[in-house]
Amino acid sequence: MKKFREMSIEERKIYLESLGIPKDSLNIPALTIEDANSIIEHVIGVASLPMGLVFGRINGEDRIIPLAIEEPSVVAAANKAFKLSDGFKAWANKSEMISTIYIKTNKSKELLETIVKLRDRIEALAKEKAKRMEKYGGGFRKMWFESLFNHRGEFIAFYFVIDVSNAMGANMLNSFAEDMAHELEFLLGEKAILKILSNLSIYRKAYAEATWSESLEQDLRKRNMSWEEGIERFLDVVSIAQTDVFRLTTFNKGIMNGISGVAMAFGQDWRAIEAGAHTYSLIQRKPLANYWIEGNKLKGKIEVPLAVGTVGGAIKSLPHAQASFQISKIKSAQELSSLMAAVGLANNFSANYHLAIEGIQQGHMKLHARNVAFSVGARGEIVEKIAKKMIEDKNISYEYAQKLLDEFVE
Ligand code: MEV
């Protein structure tokens, strides 16, 4: 049987149908400009991105995860890491998010004492305001507060932890903050100057871990490298991200290639995800993923805050997001975030592996060659022919692609 990447787009759809994926979900209509106009403002067009599939064994099941991205090699890298692994495990916390309210005051000490006395009342109000989440298994969970001081004065910060179930939760948390702020202003006689969710969802994290052994050893052998040398090189490369902030940023960027790519395919707020992930890495003072040797295997683990939803937001309005849910058969926010964490770890493994073994450009440029051919105007089969020739001749450049295109179309 042909490999998925060798199949034509039609053959891929037939293959996916044979796996029980509904035919309808494989003919993804573009968002119409009229619908786009109802989603955001000042619309003049619709931007689209390529969407590819990642195949991975996660929690003992074969999963198919769509990923939307403009960068070649990300889909290939994720697939490769899954293929070389012994399988992934992934899981996620409950959907507990944080809603914040900041009060400005010039008597923060006295105010803190009052808040301590009123705590039960404030908690009862918070429970009431988040009540509509209870029928979905969510609701208010806990709160804390503290004083903040800066060049503008004294403030009291309130942090309310609310389980938003299968929603990403931004609208719910912002409405909660605004409602709750009125109550606090009334109770405390001070002005709430800021009411907004926090995108640092420290309680809503997703995790994935995986081991690599025989298949990785075989891959190393193909490259004339022993397991010992390959693993030493890999762990050295990973260790740089633990000590150098310049590498840390790029290391985490590679993780977000996978996570944000999946987020885009599923119509999620990838800016919220990026913001939360990078701050989390910063406050933890470590990269989002780590690797070590366990027994005779290489083991990796990722831990990342991931606020995603299966309901609300623009999901219903975006045809590609609807299709992604059907193709992946994902049913809950926790399932989505755990698979995203797995893809993030997969991308990170591949990036570090290639950096350690051969450098990234060799593989990258091969995949980029098709992009270069397309950019100079090649279409259809000619794209592949030009890319192949540029790779053979070790000259992947726009000038050479143009020259080849001129020759091919003559
Ligand atoms: C490129 O998009 C991502 C990498 O730079 C990630 C990394 O360096 O780990 C390859």
Side-chain angles (χ1 to χ4, degrees):
M1 198 181 116
K2 274 191 193 168
K3 292 189 175 131
F4 194 70
R5 76 177 143 81
E6 290 162 355
M7 295 178 191
S8 68
I9 293 169
E10 263 330 294
E11 286 171 333
R12 287 179 192 155
K13 289 184 180 178
I14 294 167
Y15 170 69
L16 291 168
E17 257 189 270
S18 77
L19 300 180
I21 293 175
K23 196 176 179 153
D24 289 354
S25 65
L26 298 168
N27 292 318
I28 309 168
L31 181 68
T32 64
I33 194 155
E34 291 75 23
D35 287 350
N37 200 31
S38 332
I39 300 176
I40 65 159
E41 313 75 39
H42 289 195
V43 164
I44 53 145
V46 172
S48 49
L49 282 176
M51 192 153 107
L53 295 182
V54 177
F55 296 84
R57 198 154 175 84
I58 305 172
N59 298 334
E61 274 181 70
D62 289 324
R63 302 299 307 241
I64 302 176
I65 310 160
L67 190 153
I69 201 157
E70 86 301 340
E71 183 180 337
S73 86
V74 172
V75 173
N79 278 299
K80 172 109 190 238
F82 279 111
K83 199 162 150 243
L84 291 184
S85 79
D86 310 321
F88 277 55
K89 265 198 251 161
W91 65 100
N93 298 136
K94 289 195 174 144
S95 308
E96 291 177 355
M97 300 280 287
I98 300 169
S99 183
T100 63
I101 299 172
Y102 301 85
I103 286 180
K104 188 158 188 194
T105 177
N106 51 17
K107 43 180 181 26
S108 57
K109 199 163 170 290
E110 294 91 314
L111 207 57
L112 280 176
E113 283 162 15
T114 311
I115 295 166
V116 169
K117 285 192 199 120
L118 290 174
R119 185 177 193 127
D120 287 351
R121 171 110 185 84
I122 296 171
E123 287 189 344
L125 280 164
K127 185 167 162 51
E128 190 51 41
K129 304 261 170 227
K131 199 158 192 65
R132 75 182 176 82
M133 294 314 303
E134 288 179 10
K135 68 168 180 286
Y136 306 107
F140 169 70
R141 295 292 179 258
K142 64 176 178 182
M143 66 163 245
W144 80 96
F145 47 88
E146 59 195 41
S147 46
L148 307 175
F149 299 90
N150 67 21
H151 63 290
R152 299 283 309 163
E154 297 173 41
F155 305 85
I156 303 287
F158 284 89
Y159 307 90
F160 294 93
V161 179
I162 295 164
D163 188 327
V164 294
S165 186
N166 279 320
M168 183 273 184
N171 286 328
M172 192 273 147
L173 294 161
N174 290 338
S175 304
F176 171 92
E178 291 189 0
D179 263 16
M180 193 66 205
H182 289 307
E183 304 287 352
L184 290 175
E185 284 177 344
F186 178 75
L187 282 175
L188 305 173
E190 297 272 6
K191 187 93 192 107
I193 58 143
L194 175 62
K195 315 118 197 178
I196 188 77
L197 89 161
S198 172
N199 288 121
L200 182 59
S201 45
I202 50 169
Y203 298 114
R204 194 180 194 180
K205 285 184 288 186
Y207 310 79
E209 56 183 39
T211 58
W212 288 267
S213 54
E214 282 91 5
S215 304
L216 179 61
E217 188 168 10
Q218 276 165 24
D219 196 74
L220 281 164
R221 221 178 294 131
K222 272 196 253 155
R223 298 162 193 274
N224 292 323
M225 199 175 284
S226 69
W227 166 264
E228 288 72 21
E229 184 182 354
I231 296 303
E232 281 299 307
R233 284 200 195 189
F234 179 87
L235 292 175
D236 281 348
V237 162
V238 167
S239 75
I240 304 295
Q242 295 159 352
T243 24
D244 178 66
V245 75
F246 291 97
R247 173 62 196 143
L248 167 75
T249 307
T250 319
F251 179 99
N252 284 341
K253 189 273 182 183
I255 292 177
M256 301 318 286
N257 273 343
I259 291 183
S260 290
V262 178
M264 306 265 268
F266 284 80
Q268 304 294 315
D269 181 346
W270 74 94
R271 290 86 56 210
I273 293 172
E274 290 275 350
H278 294 298
T279 305
Y280 188 68
S281 178
L282 193 77
I283 60 173
Q284 293 285 101
R285 297 180 159 269
K286 60 181 189 192
L288 294 167
N290 191 18
Y291 298 85
W292 62 95
I293 293 291
E294 206 168 277
N296 51 3
K297 295 175 182 226
L298 174 70
K299 186 156 185 178
K301 183 172 180 192
I302 184 170
E303 174 181 323
V304 57
L306 279 180
V308 295
T310 54
V311 293
I315 297 166
K316 275 260 166 346
S317 331
L318 299 173
H320 69 270
Q322 290 293 309
S324 292
F325 278 105
Q326 282 182 302
I327 294 169
S328 63
K329 304 191 166 102
I330 287 173
K331 295 281 180 300
S332 71
Q334 277 157 289
E335 189 183 3
L336 175 56
S337 64
S338 52
L339 297 197
M340 283 166 89
V343 175
L345 181 64
N347 274 103
N348 181 246
F349 167 83
S350 273
N352 284 286
Y353 180 54
H354 288 287
L355 285 165
I357 302 309
E358 61 184 9
I360 210 81
Q361 268 324 67
Q362 198 179 322
H364 242 185
M365 287 312 283
K366 279 190 193 158
L367 293 164
H368 185 55
R370 288 159 68 204
N371 238 349
V372 173
F374 191 84
S375 311
V376 298
R379 293 293 180 270
E381 284 175 1
I382 297 196
V383 173
E384 211 54 60
K385 281 192 188 152
I386 294 180
K388 199 161 165 251
K389 183 86 177 104
M390 287 194 294
I391 294 163
E392 272 166 20
D393 296 351
K394 298 195 170 48
N395 181 4
I396 300 169
S397 65
Y398 291 97
E399 295 72 27
Y400 192 42
Q402 186 64 61
K403 185 168 173 284
L404 291 171
L405 179 64
D406 295 344
E407 282 170 23
F408 279 126
V409 291
E410 247 167 31

